[in-house]
Amino acid sequence: MKPREHDLIIIGAGPGGYVAALRAAQLGLDVGCVEKEAALGGTCLRIGCIPSKALLESTELFHKAKEKMAEHGIRLPQVEFDLAVMMRRKERSVDSLTKGLDTLFKRKGVTRYFGHGRIDAADRVVFRNEEGETELKARNILIATGSKPAGLPGVEMDGERIGTSTEALRYSEVPAHLVVIGAGAVGLELGSVWRRLGARVTVLEYLDRILPEMDGALAAEALKTFRKQGLEFRLKSRVQAARVEDGHCVIECDGSEPLSCDRVLVAVGRVPNTEGLGIEELGIKTDPRDRIQVDDRFRTTVAGNFAIGDVIRGPMLAHKAQEEGIACVEHLATGYGHVNYDAIPNVVYTQPEIAAVGKTEEELKEARIDFRRGIFPFRANGRAHTLGQTEGMIKVLAHAETDRILGVHVLGPQAAETIAEASTAIAFGASSEDLARSCHAHPTLSEALREAALAVAGRAIHI
């Protein structure tokens, strides 16, 4: 039987893959997408970003109802939570969105193939499922297989007591004591979820700080806030081993007594998901971190083969993969596509939220770039006071000579939304004066961004 042919075959239907497929179809390409999971959406939608945010929202509402309503003059009877209902709500969100992607594929004319894809030749993909192997042909192949949680030497993950974020998103009961290995976004978000529901949460971090990719000053302030919320931190803790003994977990760290707990969440980062793709046999080169090497048009070292998202260089973020997917297929269809890597935001969805775009102070100092900073605290923002969320600040970093915005860093309420304006400003090459001269509605949280921009030149009004 002659293989089905497409203009483009995409392996992986996560944020990068499915967005690339939909954009390519818009541009008139005949697109096939191979995905091994029954549901579209990848890690982000099925077992990552979306379910974690659903649980963060549910547990934050519980926390507010239990601890904060009295401040607003709202008296509630005893507040309780139903974990099973929370989990079902989370799954409904995921189910609705994955079905929505199925509908979009059909509407846009993207052909979906269910199975594990492997590149068999520069123009051929074979996918395997329960029915056997099927061969497809295409002029172009795009690898968008994402990443998977990284392991840690000496840590024996059993997928139950000791596991990754996948397991931590579906605990059937609240652990009495949860140990989180890694103080990055995943560890802090899921640690916050289970702390709000009553777990004792201990975070172990190898470095002397949390959130190593974020601005140092904001990370230090966030650490103080998380400690007030009841999270325990042991910084400069190198985990040597973790195992299950008699139904409990035992963690061994350098220079301290073994730690006993009910569950362990390993959140030490992610690694490219390229196993079984056939890239080595084909001659697609990778770097020392097993990321696929690509040029500025996402071309691999084999003609007609491309890669985007977590399998290539750069931050492992869903929206970064989406931007790359769009740029890659636009290159194919029109000859032009672009990603501004200086304008890609990064968000931690704790309470308060932490968001950043552009360079940190540490990066600018290392690059010996002269800059000015403007800082504005949320305690001086009217809207933050009405929300009862005055912790945190906004920091704007601008070039000392040109005043062009180089970085914006937010610790505070709805930081994930505020950072969008900063990303747009950087994308358009705005100066801090541009932001400072833009009228913002009052009272809003976004006024704090304007004030921070004013502060770059020492002109903040409300401090």
Side-chain angles (χ1 to χ4, degrees):
M1 182 177 177
K2 185 179 180 181
R4 172 74 186 270
E5 294 190 24
H6 295 278
D7 295 324
L8 172 67
I9 292 175
I10 300 170
I11 305 177
Y18 80 71
V19 167
L22 294 172
R23 180 60 181 139
Q26 281 183 339
L27 292 166
L29 298 182
D30 183 340
V31 186
C33 185
V34 180
E35 169 57 51
K36 67 179 181 179
E37 300 294 339
L40 301 174
T43 294
C44 178
L45 200 161
R46 297 183 301 103
I47 53 173
C49 311
I50 298 302
S52 66
K53 305 313 168 279
L55 288 181
L56 281 161
E57 180 66 16
S58 294
T59 57
E60 177 60 19
L61 287 174
F62 169 70
H63 172 73
K64 285 181 178 179
K66 186 178 179 183
E67 305 289 344
K68 301 292 184 180
M69 289 297 101
E71 297 176 9
H72 294 268
I74 301 172
R75 297 177 181 175
L76 299 174
Q78 184 176 352
V79 178
E80 299 177 341
F81 68 87
D82 188 324
L83 183 58
V85 173
M86 284 185 180
M87 292 295 179
R88 286 198 294 271
R89 175 184 177 274
K90 173 199 69 173
E91 292 304 322
R92 283 198 304 273
S93 297
V94 171
D95 186 56
S96 175
L97 290 169
T98 56
K99 287 179 178 177
L101 289 181
D102 274 321
T103 300
L104 281 173
F105 268 30
K106 292 172 184 175
R107 186 184 303 162
K108 303 288 186 180
V110 176
T111 304
R112 190 266 167 94
Y113 297 101
F114 172 55
H116 182 279
R118 185 184 78 251
I119 304 173
D120 205 41
D123 63 347
R124 188 165 64 246
V125 170
V126 172
F127 71 92
R128 172 184 288 276
N129 55 31
E130 293 180 353
E131 297 177 1
E133 285 194 346
T134 303
E135 183 179 305
L136 304 171
K137 293 201 71 174
R139 287 183 290 174
N140 301 287
I141 297 170
L142 174 58
I143 301 169
T145 48
S147 61
K148 57 187 176 183
L152 201 61
V155 174
E156 303 172 12
M157 288 193 279
D158 66 348
E160 178 60 31
R161 291 286 177 180
I162 302 176
T164 66
S165 56
T166 303
E167 289 75 34
L169 284 166
R170 61 187 187 206
Y171 293 157
S172 59
E173 59 185 17
V174 179
H177 186 191
L178 170 66
V179 169
V180 178
I181 304 175
V186 173
L188 294 176
E189 288 178 2
L190 291 178
S192 295
V193 164
W194 295 108
R195 176 70 192 96
R196 293 168 187 167
L197 297 181
R200 175 190 172 192
V201 177
T202 303
V203 182
L204 306 178
E205 172 54 52
Y206 175 73
L207 300 175
D208 61 356
R209 55 165 291 178
I210 66 171
L211 298 170
E213 296 180 354
M214 290 290 190
D215 177 87
L218 262 70
E221 287 300 311
L223 177 61
K224 296 176 186 177
T225 298
F226 295 145
R227 280 177 164 155
K228 289 178 186 177
Q229 294 173 1
L231 274 74
E232 304 170 14
F233 289 87
R234 298 189 185 183
L235 304 180
K236 296 189 286 187
S237 293
R238 180 176 178 272
V239 175
Q240 292 180 311
R243 60 188 178 275
V244 177
E245 289 184 358
D246 300 324
H248 283 78
C249 306
V250 177
I251 302 104
E252 297 178 4
C253 296
D254 277 349
S256 62
E257 292 294 317
L259 188 62
S260 179
C261 65
D262 298 273
R263 291 187 186 270
V264 176
L265 163 58
V266 181
V268 293
R270 302 182 67 83
V271 294
N273 193 17
T274 56
E275 185 178 354
L277 271 177
I279 60 174
E280 292 182 2
E281 295 85 348
L282 192 62
I284 293 177
K285 293 183 180 179
T286 58
D287 67 15
R289 296 173 61 181
D290 293 328
R291 299 174 300 190
I292 295 174
Q293 294 182 14
V294 295
D295 63 11
D296 59 357
R297 297 184 66 167
F298 308 102
R299 293 176 294 198
T300 71
T301 51
V302 172
N305 283 247
F306 303 79
I308 59 167
D310 289 2
V311 294
I312 69 170
R313 63 186 185 274
M316 291 182 170
L317 299 169
H319 43 283
K320 178 254 197 187
Q322 291 179 334
E323 293 299 304
E324 290 175 339
I326 290 171
C328 180
V329 298
E330 287 182 346
H331 270 301
L332 286 175
T334 70
Y336 178 78
H338 175 68
V339 177
N340 184 348
Y341 287 97
D342 289 328
I344 295 178
N346 191 5
V347 181
V348 183
Y349 294 85
T350 49
Q351 184 61 263
E353 292 179 344
I354 309 161
V357 64
K359 303 297 184 183
T360 65
E361 283 199 34
E362 292 82 0
E363 289 171 333
L364 293 175
K365 289 174 182 176
E366 184 178 351
R368 297 184 179 180
I369 297 173
D370 292 332
F371 65 93
R372 295 181 298 164
R373 76 173 66 82
I375 297 175
F376 189 80
F378 277 104
R379 67 174 182 273
N381 176 265
R383 181 62 173 153
H385 274 272
T386 65
L387 293 172
Q389 300 177 44
T390 57
E391 289 184 294
M393 69 185 90
I394 296 183
K395 177 191 290 189
V396 173
L397 304 174
H399 195 282
E401 294 183 7
T402 67
D403 194 39
R404 178 167 288 188
I405 298 170
L406 302 175
V408 176
H409 306 273
V410 186
L411 169 67
Q414 299 177 32
E417 307 304 324
T418 302
I419 207 65
E421 181 182 353
S423 298
T424 302
I426 289 177
F428 281 91
S431 65
S432 70
E433 184 179 4
D434 290 330
L435 268 186
R437 290 186 177 275
S438 300
C439 183
H440 289 64
H442 175 78
T444 58
L445 295 170
S446 65
E447 286 180 287
L449 177 59
R450 183 192 187 193
E451 290 271 13
L454 283 164
V456 170
R459 297 191 295 124
I461 302 299
H462 289 92
I463 55 171

